[in-house]
């Protein structure tokens, strides 16, 4: 008589042994796991507000179900086109100018041979990341305001005219990109410098033997070696294509540049917090999230199509 082993019990016994063996490792990840469960997954229940006409005095469950009415209202809103255009244009500028900046800076730092000088530069470029965006906006105002701004006074001494950097719509997007690069470029080099540290030195030595100069070494060895890191970060950036950062935009926006400054992030704040349209603002936020997830999945699929590893 053949005895069939109980595979289900064997499976649970194996899981129990692994949990017992690696209990301290599992205990180590508990705080991070709780963080994601409490602050990321549990609040997802709130997206139901997008399909309800939420009334605070009725509560979450008793508010009327309205289906996709808020989405229809949002897509038919005359401001939808402006919001979509401003968001996509600002994200495109960020993708073209802000995303490559840390890569270029990391490549330059990687060429520095004096370790003390390299560490000093790294420290200087890291510092802006820890400065509050309120401080950055305040510094921008102090430098560029027409009422005694340092840069504007210098321009006035040269040309006899002052430039309305803070109120002219055509200057809004360049200012946002410059702020972003100045604040985050140095911090973004951390990942790329770590990737560059893993490049095999023997490849450079072989390239030198073949007569390759520094530019050719960078193009044929350095960049291909960190290509997978660049692709993964690009995929993640695509997921944030609809997120321009509320705080920075809100601080730099005013009545004169609103036509190019208003994006989905500030619109959600205006409708949800200042006007109390909780369900409508939730629908706008859910629309952003769906687009972000779609872009991540699509860019990951394209990356794997072109032979990269992708996110998964």
């Amino acid at each position: 008589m053949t005895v069939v082993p109980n595979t289900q019990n064997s499976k649970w016994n194996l899981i129990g042994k692994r949990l017992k063996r690696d209990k301290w490792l599992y205990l180590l990840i508990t705080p991070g796991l709780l963080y994601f469960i409490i602050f990321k997954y549990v609040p997802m229940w709130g997206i139901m507000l997008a399909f309800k006409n939420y009334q605070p005095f009725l509560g979450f469950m008793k508010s009327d179900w309205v289906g996709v009415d808020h989405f229809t209202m949002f897509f038919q809103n005359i401001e939808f086109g402006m919001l979509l255009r401003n968001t996509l244009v600002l994200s495109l500028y960020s993708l073209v100018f802000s995303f490559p900046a840390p890569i270029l800076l990391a490549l330059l730092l990687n060429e520095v041979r004096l370790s003390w000088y390299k560490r000093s530069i790294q420290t200087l470029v890291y510092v802006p990341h820890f400065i509050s965006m309120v401080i950055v906006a305040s510094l921008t105002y102090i430098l560029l305001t027409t009422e005694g701004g340092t840069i504007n006074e210098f321009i006035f001494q040269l040309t006899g005219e002052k430039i309305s950097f803070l109120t002219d719509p055509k200057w809004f997007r360049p200012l946002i990109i410059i702020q972003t690069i100045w604040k985050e470029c140095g911090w973004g080099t951390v990942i790329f410098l770590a990737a560059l540290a893993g490049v095999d030195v023997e490849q450079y030595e072989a390239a030198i033997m073949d007569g390759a100069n520094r530019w050719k070494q960078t193009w044929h060895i350095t960049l291909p070696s960190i290509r997978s890191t660049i692709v993964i970060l690009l995929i993640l950036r695509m997921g944030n294509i609809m997120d321009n950062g509320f705080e920075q935009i809100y601080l730099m926006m005013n009545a004169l540049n609103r036509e190019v400054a208003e994006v989905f992030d500030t619109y959600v704040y205006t409708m949800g917090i200042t006007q109390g349209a909780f369900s409508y603002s939730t629908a706008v936020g859910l629309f952003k999230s769906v687009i972000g997830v779609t872009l991540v999945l699509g860019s990951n699929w394209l990356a794997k199509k072109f032979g990269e590893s992708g996110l998964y």
Side-chain angles (χ1 to χ4, degrees):
M1 181 178 180
T2 304
V3 179
V4 179
N6 192 332
T7 56
Q8 190 69 22
N9 290 338
S10 301
K11 180 180 178 181
W12 284 110
N13 290 335
L14 182 60
I15 293 174
K17 289 179 181 178
R18 289 180 177 176
L19 287 173
K20 186 176 180 180
R21 183 190 62 191
D22 302 325
K23 58 183 177 181
W24 298 114
L25 291 177
Y26 288 112
L27 185 63
L28 195 64
I29 68 170
T30 301
L33 191 62
L34 290 175
Y35 167 78
F36 279 99
I37 292 174
I38 296 173
F39 296 105
K40 300 296 182 180
Y41 286 98
V42 173
M44 288 179 69
W45 177 256
I47 64 175
M48 286 187 63
L49 280 180
F51 305 97
K52 286 175 169 284
N53 184 23
Y54 177 69
Q55 301 294 333
F57 59 88
L58 290 177
F60 184 79
M61 300 304 297
K62 293 184 179 180
S63 296
D64 294 334
W65 182 272
V66 296
V68 296
D69 287 357
H70 295 302
F71 295 94
T72 304
M73 187 188 309
F74 174 54
F75 296 142
Q76 293 176 349
N77 193 319
I78 59 174
E79 293 188 326
F80 175 75
M82 178 194 71
L83 294 170
L84 185 63
R85 181 182 66 252
N86 292 344
T87 301
L88 292 179
V89 170
L90 201 55
S91 295
L92 180 63
Y93 281 10
S94 179
L95 200 63
V96 172
F97 297 105
S98 299
F99 181 76
I103 303 173
L104 296 175
L105 182 57
L107 292 174
L108 292 174
L109 288 173
N110 192 54
E111 296 299 318
V112 178
R113 293 294 173 258
L114 295 175
S115 59
W116 66 269
Y117 184 67
K118 181 177 180 179
R119 288 196 299 269
S120 301
I121 297 297
Q122 284 180 271
T123 302
L124 289 175
V125 297
Y126 288 170
V127 168
H129 171 76
F130 301 99
I131 298 177
S132 169
M133 187 53 70
V134 177
I135 304 299
V136 175
S138 300
L139 290 173
T140 304
Y141 178 82
I142 292 170
L143 292 173
L144 301 178
T145 178
T146 55
E147 303 298 327
T150 307
I151 293 178
N152 244 324
E153 288 297 323
F154 179 72
I155 294 173
F156 180 75
Q157 293 297 325
L158 293 177
T159 64
E161 297 180 355
K162 292 185 178 181
I163 301 175
S164 301
F165 290 106
L166 301 177
T167 56
D168 192 340
K170 71 180 181 182
W171 283 103
F172 176 79
R173 289 164 182 157
L175 286 178
I176 293 296
I177 299 303
I178 291 171
Q179 285 180 342
T180 303
I181 292 175
W182 178 78
K183 190 174 187 298
E184 302 297 342
C185 180
W187 186 253
T189 61
V190 174
I191 295 176
F192 294 110
L193 286 173
L196 289 170
V199 179
D200 189 0
V201 180
E202 293 182 356
Q203 295 186 47
Y204 293 110
E205 295 174 353
I208 293 172
M209 294 293 291
D210 291 336
N213 56 27
R214 297 303 301 174
W215 166 249
K216 289 185 177 179
Q217 292 174 41
T218 301
W219 184 257
H220 294 288
I221 298 176
T222 307
L223 286 176
S225 298
I226 64 173
R227 184 174 57 189
S228 59
T229 303
I230 295 174
V231 169
I232 289 174
L233 291 178
L234 181 60
I235 293 172
L236 294 175
R237 175 65 70 90
M238 292 300 295
N240 294 323
I241 207 79
M242 304 295 285
D243 295 320
N244 301 118
F246 163 76
E247 187 178 13
Q248 182 184 16
I249 305 296
Y250 186 75
L251 290 170
M252 296 299 297
M253 184 173 63
N254 53 59
L256 297 176
N257 62 19
R258 181 182 177 274
E259 63 184 69
V260 298
E262 187 82 87
V263 294
F264 288 120
D265 295 306
T266 55
Y267 185 71
V268 167
Y269 169 80
T270 302
M271 298 303 298
I273 304 299
T274 64
Q275 297 188 23
F278 301 112
S279 294
Y280 181 77
S281 59
T282 303
V284 178
L286 182 57
F287 165 74
K288 283 176 46 188
S289 301
V290 170
I291 296 298
V293 171
T294 303
L295 288 172
V296 167
L297 296 176
S299 55
N300 185 75
W301 178 80
L302 281 175
K304 297 182 76 172
K305 267 288 186 182
F306 286 99
E308 297 296 331
S309 57
L311 287 175
Y312 55 89

